[in-house]
């Protein structure tokens, strides 16, 4: 077994743990709970890191080390052709938080978050009944209430753009995990995002609220009053989804 060979070579401190599939969030929580290292960096099984990734993390960690207000470093993710995933708004190292980065500065797409393990242990992914997934943004936005991060213009993470990934099938995934999805959009809306972001996420809340098995009154209590009025246009999205077979 390859992992046993690496462990026998003793070139790296390798801690391999087997876990039955319980979904991405469950695996993430398990991994965080099993480590006592200072730094936590997740790499998905269908992605890879650049050759200089570890060196870039080590050489830039001083930017956050010892600062209790900073939770970690955020690097760029790129596709195999070198194109940045989504949109990155900064042209120099910038301190921000996970909510502000997207709400205020309009960032789009996945990033490579290198986070202090001590912070992640404070903010595990919540469990919603038998659901196996909730948006990562739920955890990041909770962290953003108390911590900033340093965003760097350095790519260290390479993503595969494959058709069966969670990101690609996000609509179907969130419908199957609608309680977690609506919890995410509810918390985001109550953080008072800019109006265009508020409108978009109000529609998305109702898009998945139709599937979370809660009463209408329960859903209404989860969101600001202004978001109530987006239920009608969200019905149009629901019809389009059904036509497209989503």
């Amino acid at each position: 077994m390859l992992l046993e060979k690496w462990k026998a070579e003793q070139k790296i401190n390798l801690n391999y743990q087997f876990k039955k599939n319980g979904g991405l969030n469950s695996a993430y929580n398990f991994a965080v709970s099993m480590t006592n290292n200072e730094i936590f960096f997740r790499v998905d099984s269908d992605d890879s890191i650049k050759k200089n990734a570890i060196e870039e993390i080590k050489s830039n960690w001083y930017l956050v080390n010892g600062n209790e207000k900073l939770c970690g470093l955020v690097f760029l993710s790129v596709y195999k052709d070198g194109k940045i995933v989504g949109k990155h708004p900064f042209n120099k190292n910038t301190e921000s938080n996970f909510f502000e980065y997207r709400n205020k500065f309009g960032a789009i797409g996945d990033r490579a978050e290198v986070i202090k393990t001590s912070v992640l242990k404070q903010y595990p992914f919540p469990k919603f009944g038998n659901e196996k997934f909730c948006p990562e943004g739920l955890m990041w936005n909770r962290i953003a209430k108390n911590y900033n991060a340093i965003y760097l213009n350095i790519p260290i993470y390479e993503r595969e753009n494959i058709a069966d990934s969670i990101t690609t099938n996000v609509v179907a995934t969130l419908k199957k995990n609608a309680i977690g999805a609506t919890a995410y959009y509810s918390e985001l809306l109550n953080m008072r995002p800019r109006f265009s972001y508020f409108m978009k996420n109000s529609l998305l809340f109702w898009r998945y609220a139709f599937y979370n098995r809660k009463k209408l009154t329960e859903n209404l209590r989860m969101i600001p009053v202004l978001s109530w009025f987006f239920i009608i246009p969200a019905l149009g999205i629901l019809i389009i989804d059904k036509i497209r077979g989503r």
Side-chain angles (χ1 to χ4, degrees):
M1 185 178 181
L2 186 59
L3 290 171
E4 292 297 332
K5 178 184 177 183
W6 289 345
K7 198 169 184 178
E9 290 174 350
Q10 297 184 341
K11 292 182 179 180
I12 58 174
N13 183 10
L14 180 64
N15 180 8
Y16 169 74
Q17 298 287 336
F18 175 81
K19 182 183 182 303
K20 186 178 179 180
N21 183 18
L24 173 62
N25 304 147
S26 174
Y28 195 97
N29 286 346
F30 179 75
V32 171
S33 72
M34 291 299 297
T35 183
N36 292 313
N37 293 327
E38 179 185 7
I39 302 171
F40 191 92
F41 176 33
R42 186 190 94 203
V43 181
D44 290 346
S45 60
D46 52 357
D47 298 331
S48 60
I49 60 174
K50 288 183 166 291
K51 292 181 179 180
N52 65 333
I54 303 303
E55 288 303 316
E56 289 292 356
I57 293 170
K58 289 174 62 178
S59 64
N60 286 286
W61 191 249
Y62 77 93
L63 294 169
V64 301
N65 193 29
N67 190 329
E68 295 183 356
K69 296 181 179 179
L70 298 175
C71 66
L73 303 173
V74 182
F75 293 87
L76 295 178
S77 295
V78 295
Y79 295 115
K80 295 294 184 181
D81 61 4
K83 183 180 178 181
I84 294 175
V85 176
K87 172 188 173 185
H88 179 63
F90 305 138
N91 54 22
K92 61 180 181 179
N93 294 353
T94 303
E95 180 178 337
S96 184
N97 64 56
F98 299 117
F99 176 72
E100 183 181 64
Y101 179 62
R102 297 176 187 278
N103 173 60
K104 180 178 179 180
F105 298 107
I108 301 171
D110 293 336
R111 295 292 172 260
E113 296 93 357
V114 182
I115 308 298
K116 295 175 181 177
T117 305
S118 59
V119 173
L120 292 176
K121 286 181 182 291
Q122 298 175 52
Y123 297 91
F125 280 107
K127 176 68 175 172
F128 298 98
N130 294 322
E131 294 187 355
K132 292 186 176 182
F133 178 80
C134 74
E136 289 185 38
L138 182 64
M139 178 185 72
W140 297 128
N141 285 342
R142 290 179 177 182
I143 293 175
K145 294 178 180 179
N146 294 300
Y147 295 95
N148 285 353
I150 300 296
Y151 289 80
L152 301 99
N153 291 336
I154 302 172
I156 66 167
Y157 193 99
E158 291 188 340
R159 287 184 55 84
E160 291 282 358
N161 192 9
I162 56 177
D164 61 349
S165 68
I166 289 176
T167 303
T168 303
N169 289 320
V170 64
V171 174
T173 300
L174 293 182
K175 283 183 177 180
K176 292 178 182 178
N177 300 274
I179 299 175
T182 49
Y184 161 66
Y185 290 113
S186 169
E187 291 191 17
L188 189 156
L189 290 167
N190 282 293
M191 292 176 75
R192 299 183 178 181
R194 70 179 191 274
F195 189 63
S196 59
Y197 207 51
F198 181 90
M199 290 192 297
K200 173 186 174 181
N201 287 286
S202 293
L203 286 169
L204 290 171
F205 171 86
W206 286 113
R207 184 183 205 174
Y208 303 112
F210 294 121
Y211 298 91
N212 70 1
R213 301 181 299 280
K214 292 186 178 182
K215 295 179 181 179
L216 176 60
T217 52
E218 292 180 274
N219 282 317
L220 291 173
R221 285 196 294 267
M222 292 175 65
I223 54 177
V225 173
L226 185 58
S227 294
W228 295 3
F229 299 96
F230 289 84
I231 187 172
I232 301 302
L235 285 169
I237 296 176
L238 180 67
I239 294 170
I240 293 172
D241 283 346
K242 288 188 178 297
I243 293 173
R244 293 180 176 176
R246 288 179 171 177

